[in-house]
Amino acid sequence: WVLCTVILLCSCSSKKYQSAAKEVLNECLIVAQDSESMCNLIAKTWSNAIFDDVDYYGYYCSDFNRALQQMRSVKSDEIELLSTSRALLIEKVGKMKPPKSYIMMHNDLMELVTLTSSFSRLATDPSGSLQSFRNNFQEMDEEILRKTEAFEIKYASELKR
């Protein structure tokens, strides 16, 4: 009886953790996708301001700082939502208490959340030159894709339960 109860409790805890891990993984993907969209917009705006004479959201901007400022003003709700999503993701994964058998999975999930957080920070607070921004954007985007695929393969059976 005691053994059955312990197994049942461990099973419930495992199922709860698996569900929470799936949820965090899905939220990582959403934040990464939103970050990618924002980074693409930033790079396009930045590049256009340097190389083209175009209108930015109803205003002509003579330099890239003004163009980025105008874009950020127009997209402020999306930027705020991305920042909030990042904070909630970090909070959610911080509250997760993995069973002992899921410690490695949790560490890998934490690594993915950390990378996704850095990517969203790049999207909400761009810095450096256009070239360094593009390089960082491309590297983070590819790394998130690689780590997400590796996570899904490594923990396929846990994510299906």
Side-chain angles (χ1 to χ4, degrees), residues 44-45 48-49 52-62 67 70:
K44 181 180 177 186
T45 301
N48 286 346
D52 298 327
D53 289 332
V54 293
D55 182 282
Y56 298 94
Y57 305 97
Y59 297 93
Y60 173 75
C61 301
S62 59
Q70 185 61 32

Side-chain angles (χ1 to χ4, degrees), residues 56-74:
Y56 298 94
Y57 305 97
Y59 297 93
Y60 173 75
C61 301
S62 59
D63 73 39
F64 66 90
N65 286 319
R66 180 71 178 117
L68 288 173
Q69 187 178 47
Q70 185 61 32
M71 184 272 308
R72 289 177 58 80
S73 175
V74 170

Side-chain angles (χ1 to χ4, degrees), residues 50 59 62 74 84 96 106 115 129 132 144 151 155:
I50 294 171
Y59 297 93
S62 59
V74 170
T84 301
M96 292 172 67
H106 188 72
L115 183 59
S129 67
S132 68
I144 286 173
F151 186 89
Y155 301 108

Side-chain angles (χ1 to χ4, degrees), residues 9-31:
L9 288 174
C10 289
S11 174
C12 290
S13 178
S14 294
K15 296 251 186 245
K16 186 176 178 181
Y17 181 80
Q18 289 168 347
S19 176
K22 273 194 269 189
E23 193 175 307
V24 167
L25 179 62
N26 288 334
E27 289 175 23
C28 274
L29 294 174
I30 291 167
V31 170

